[in-house]
Coordinates of all heavy atoms in Angstrom, one line a residue:
T116 N 53.5 0.3 16.2 CA 54.0 0.3 17.6 C 52.8 0.1 18.5 O 51.7 0.1 18.1 CB 54.7 1.6 17.9 OG1 55.3 1.5 19.2 CG2 53.8 2.8 17.8
N117 N 53.2 -0.2 19.8 CA 52.2 -0.4 20.8 C 52.2 0.8 21.8 O 51.7 0.7 22.9 CB 52.4 -1.7 21.6 CG 53.8 -1.8 22.1 OD1 54.7 -1.1 21.7 ND2 54.0 -2.7 23.1
Y118 N 52.7 1.9 21.3 CA 52.9 3.1 22.2 C 52.8 4.4 21.5 O 53.3 4.5 20.4 CB 54.3 2.9 22.9 CG 54.9 4.2 23.5 CD1 54.2 4.7 24.6 CD2 56.0 4.8 23.0 CE1 54.8 5.9 25.2 CE2 56.6 5.9 23.6 CZ 55.9 6.5 24.7 OH 56.4 7.6 25.2
I119 N 52.1 5.3 22.0 CA 51.9 6.6 21.4 C 52.3 7.7 22.5 O 51.8 7.6 23.6 CB 50.5 6.9 20.9 CG1 50.1 5.9 19.8 CG2 50.3 8.3 20.5 CD1 48.6 6.0 19.4
L120 N 53.1 8.6 22.1 CA 53.5 9.7 23.1 C 53.0 11.0 22.5 O 53.2 11.3 21.3 CB 55.0 9.7 23.3 CG 55.5 10.8 24.2 CD1 55.0 10.5 25.7 CD2 57.0 10.9 24.2
S121 N 52.4 11.8 23.3 CA 52.0 13.2 22.9 C 51.9 14.1 24.2 O 52.2 13.6 25.3 CB 50.6 13.2 22.3 OG 49.6 13.1 23.2
S122 N 51.6 15.3 24.0 CA 51.4 16.3 25.1 C 50.0 16.3 25.6 O 49.7 17.1 26.5 CB 51.9 17.7 24.7 OG 51.1 18.1 23.6
S123 N 49.1 15.4 25.2 CA 47.7 15.4 25.6 C 47.6 15.0 27.1 O 48.5 14.4 27.7 CB 47.0 14.3 24.7 OG 45.7 14.1 25.3
E124 N 46.5 15.4 27.7 CA 46.2 15.1 29.1 C 45.6 13.7 29.2 O 45.4 13.2 30.3 CB 45.2 16.1 29.7 CG 43.9 16.1 29.1 CD 42.9 17.1 29.8 OE1 43.1 17.4 30.9 OE2 41.9 17.5 29.1
Y125 N 45.3 13.0 28.1 CA 44.7 11.7 28.1 C 45.8 10.6 27.8 O 46.7 10.8 27.0 CB 43.6 11.6 27.1 CG 42.4 12.5 27.4 CD1 42.3 13.7 26.7 CD2 41.5 12.2 28.4 CE1 41.2 14.5 26.9 CE2 40.4 13.0 28.6 CZ 40.3 14.2 27.9 OH 39.2 15.0 28.2
V126 N 45.6 9.5 28.5 CA 46.4 8.3 28.2 C 45.4 7.1 28.1 O 44.7 6.8 29.0 CB 47.5 8.0 29.2 CG1 46.9 7.9 30.6 CG2 48.3 6.8 28.9
V127 N 45.5 6.4 26.9 CA 44.7 5.2 26.7 C 45.5 4.0 27.2 O 46.7 3.8 26.8 CB 44.3 5.0 25.2 CG1 43.6 3.7 25.0 CG2 43.5 6.2 24.7
I128 N 44.9 3.1 28.0 CA 45.6 2.0 28.6 C 44.8 0.7 28.5 O 43.6 0.8 28.8 CB 45.9 2.3 30.1 CG1 47.0 3.4 30.2 CG2 46.4 1.0 30.8 CD1 47.3 3.8 31.6
E129 N 45.4 -0.4 28.1 CA 44.7 -1.6 28.2 C 44.8 -2.2 29.6 O 45.9 -2.4 30.1 CB 45.3 -2.6 27.2 CG 44.7 -4.0 27.2 CD 45.2 -4.9 26.1 OE1 45.5 -4.4 25.0 OE2 45.3 -6.1 26.4
A130 N 43.7 -2.3 30.3 CA 43.6 -2.7 31.7 C 43.6 -4.2 31.8 O 42.5 -4.8 31.5 CB 42.4 -2.0 32.4
D131 N 44.6 -4.8 32.3 CA 44.8 -6.3 32.3 C 44.3 -6.8 33.6 O 44.8 -6.4 34.7 CB 46.2 -6.7 32.0 CG 46.4 -8.2 31.8 OD1 45.4 -8.9 31.8 OD2 47.6 -8.6 31.6
E132 N 43.4 -7.8 33.6 CA 42.9 -8.4 34.8 C 43.7 -9.5 35.3 O 43.6 -10.0 36.5 CB 41.4 -8.9 34.6 CG 41.3 -10.2 33.9 CD 41.3 -10.1 32.4 OE1 41.7 -9.0 31.9 OE2 41.1 -11.2 31.7
F133 N 44.7 -10.0 34.5 CA 45.6 -11.1 35.0 C 46.3 -10.6 36.3 O 46.8 -9.6 36.3 CB 46.6 -11.5 33.9 CG 47.6 -12.5 34.4 CD1 47.2 -13.8 34.6 CD2 48.9 -12.1 34.6 CE1 48.2 -14.7 35.0 CE2 49.8 -13.0 35.0 CZ 49.5 -14.3 35.2
D134 N 46.3 -11.5 37.3 CA 47.0 -11.2 38.5 C 46.5 -9.9 39.2 O 47.2 -9.2 39.9 CB 48.5 -11.1 38.3 CG 49.4 -11.2 39.5 OD1 49.0 -12.0 40.4 OD2 50.4 -10.5 39.6
R135 N 45.2 -9.5 38.9 CA 44.6 -8.3 39.4 C 45.4 -7.1 39.1 O 45.3 -6.1 39.9 CB 44.4 -8.5 40.9 CG 43.4 -9.6 41.3 CD 43.2 -9.8 42.8 NE 42.2 -10.8 43.1 CZ 42.4 -12.1 43.1 NH1 43.6 -12.6 42.8 NH2 41.4 -12.9 43.4
S136 N 46.1 -7.1 38.0 CA 47.0 -5.9 37.7 C 46.2 -4.6 37.5 O 46.7 -3.6 37.9 CB 47.7 -6.2 36.4 OG 48.7 -7.2 36.5
F137 N 45.0 -4.7 37.0 CA 44.2 -3.5 36.8 C 43.8 -2.8 38.1 O 43.3 -1.6 38.0 CB 43.0 -3.7 35.8 CG 42.0 -4.7 36.3 CD1 40.8 -4.8 35.6 CD2 42.1 -5.5 37.4 CE1 39.8 -5.6 36.0 CE2 41.1 -6.4 37.8 CZ 39.9 -6.5 37.1
H138 N 44.0 -3.4 39.2 CA 43.7 -2.7 40.5 C 44.7 -1.6 40.8 O 44.4 -0.8 41.7 CB 43.6 -3.7 41.6 CG 42.5 -4.7 41.6 ND1 42.3 -5.7 42.4 CD2 41.4 -4.7 40.7 CE1 41.2 -6.4 42.1 NE2 40.6 -5.8 41.1
W139 N 45.8 -1.5 40.1 CA 46.7 -0.4 40.3 C 46.3 0.9 39.6 O 46.8 2.0 39.9 CB 48.1 -0.8 39.8 CG 48.8 -1.9 40.6 CD1 48.9 -3.2 40.3 CD2 49.4 -1.7 41.9 NE1 49.5 -3.9 41.2 CE2 49.9 -3.0 42.2 CE3 49.7 -0.7 42.7 CZ2 50.6 -3.3 43.4 CZ3 50.4 -0.9 43.9 CH2 50.8 -2.2 44.2
L140 N 45.3 0.7 38.7 CA 44.9 1.9 37.9 C 43.9 2.8 38.6 O 43.2 2.3 39.5 CB 44.3 1.4 36.5 CG 45.2 0.5 35.7 CD1 44.5 0.0 34.5 CD2 46.5 1.2 35.3
R141 N 43.9 4.0 38.2 CA 42.8 5.0 38.6 C 42.2 5.6 37.4 O 42.6 6.8 37.0 CB 43.4 6.0 39.6 CG 44.0 5.5 40.9 CD 42.9 4.8 41.7 NE 43.5 4.3 43.0 CZ 43.9 3.1 43.1 NH1 43.9 2.2 42.1 NH2 44.4 2.7 44.3
P142 N 41.3 4.9 36.7 CA 40.8 5.4 35.4 C 40.0 6.7 35.6 O 39.3 7.0 36.6 CB 39.9 4.3 34.9 CG 40.3 3.1 35.8 CD 40.8 3.6 37.1
W143 N 40.0 7.5 34.5 CA 39.1 8.6 34.4 C 37.8 8.1 33.7 O 36.7 8.4 34.1 CB 39.7 9.7 33.6 CG 38.8 10.9 33.2 CD1 38.4 11.2 32.0 CD2 38.2 11.8 34.1 NE1 37.5 12.3 32.0 CE2 37.4 12.7 33.4 CE3 38.2 12.0 35.5 CZ2 36.7 13.7 33.9 CZ3 37.5 13.0 36.1 CH2 36.7 13.9 35.3
I144 N 38.0 7.4 32.6 CA 36.9 6.7 32.0 C 37.3 5.2 31.7 O 38.5 5.0 31.4 CB 36.5 7.3 30.6 CG1 36.1 8.8 30.8 CG2 35.4 6.6 29.9 CD1 35.8 9.5 29.5
S145 N 36.4 4.3 31.9 CA 36.8 2.9 31.6 C 35.6 2.2 30.8 O 34.5 2.5 31.1 CB 37.0 2.1 32.9 OG 37.4 0.8 32.5
V146 N 36.0 1.5 29.9 CA 35.2 0.5 29.2 C 35.4 -0.9 29.8 O 36.5 -1.2 30.1 CB 35.5 0.5 27.7 CG1 34.8 -0.7 27.0 CG2 35.0 1.8 27.0
I147 N 34.3 -1.6 30.0 CA 34.5 -3.0 30.3 C 33.7 -3.8 29.2 O 32.5 -3.7 29.1 CB 33.9 -3.4 31.7 CG1 34.7 -2.6 32.8 CG2 34.0 -4.9 32.0 CD1 34.2 -2.9 34.2
T148 N 34.5 -4.6 28.5 CA 34.0 -5.3 27.3 C 33.3 -6.6 27.6 O 32.3 -7.0 26.9 CB 35.1 -5.5 26.3 OG1 36.0 -6.4 26.9 CG2 35.7 -4.2 25.9
A149 N 33.8 -7.4 28.6 CA 33.3 -8.7 28.9 C 33.9 -9.2 30.2 O 35.0 -8.7 30.7 CB 33.8 -9.7 27.8
T150 N 33.1 -10.0 30.9 CA 33.6 -10.6 32.2 C 33.4 -12.1 32.2 O 33.1 -12.7 33.3 CB 32.9 -9.9 33.4 OG1 31.5 -10.1 33.2 CG2 33.3 -8.5 33.5
D151 N 33.6 -12.8 31.1 CA 33.6 -14.2 31.0 C 34.8 -14.8 31.8 O 35.9 -14.3 31.6 CB 33.6 -14.7 29.6 CG 32.5 -14.1 28.8 OD1 31.4 -14.3 29.1 OD2 32.9 -13.3 27.8
P152 N 34.6 -15.7 32.7 CA 35.6 -16.1 33.6 C 36.9 -16.6 32.8 O 36.8 -17.3 31.9 CB 35.0 -17.3 34.4 CG 33.6 -17.1 34.3 CD 33.3 -16.4 33.0
D153 N 38.0 -16.1 33.3 CA 39.3 -16.6 32.8 C 40.3 -16.5 33.9 O 40.1 -16.0 35.0 CB 39.7 -15.6 31.6 CG 40.9 -16.2 30.8 OD1 41.2 -17.4 30.9 OD2 41.4 -15.4 29.9
H154 N 41.6 -17.0 33.7 CA 42.6 -16.9 34.7 C 42.2 -17.6 36.0 O 42.5 -17.1 37.1 CB 43.1 -15.5 34.9 CG 43.6 -14.8 33.7 ND1 44.6 -15.3 32.9 CD2 43.1 -13.7 33.1 CE1 44.8 -14.4 31.8 NE2 43.9 -13.5 31.9
L155 N 41.4 -18.7 35.9 CA 41.0 -19.3 37.1 C 42.1 -20.0 37.9 O 41.9 -20.3 39.1 CB 39.9 -20.4 36.8 CG 38.6 -19.8 36.1 CD1 37.6 -20.9 36.0 CD2 38.0 -18.7 37.0
D156 N 43.3 -20.1 37.3 CA 44.5 -20.5 38.1 C 44.9 -19.4 39.1 O 45.5 -19.7 40.1 CB 45.6 -20.8 37.1 CG 46.0 -19.6 36.2 OD1 45.0 -19.0 35.7 OD2 47.2 -19.4 35.9

């Protein structure tokens, strides 16, 4: 599955940069893996 539910205080989220979607998030911790240009449209 692509979804895990528990009573934990943590939630792991894939932060998508397409359409600037990740600007809605308020991370506690974030990893940034790469910033090679994409979605130039």
Side-chain angles (χ1 to χ4, degrees):
T116 184
N117 53 342
Y118 163 62
I119 295 171
L120 180 66
S121 79
S122 58
S123 170
E124 64 175 337
Y125 294 103
V126 57
V127 178
I128 291 173
E129 181 173 325
D131 189 2
E132 79 278 8
F133 174 72
D134 199 33
R135 297 177 174 83
S136 291
F137 61 170
H138 289 176
W139 292 102
L140 305 175
R141 296 297 179 270
W143 172 247
I144 300 175
S145 182
V146 166
I147 298 180
T148 62
T150 54
D151 306 298
D153 195 10
H154 304 301
L155 295 185
D156 54 324

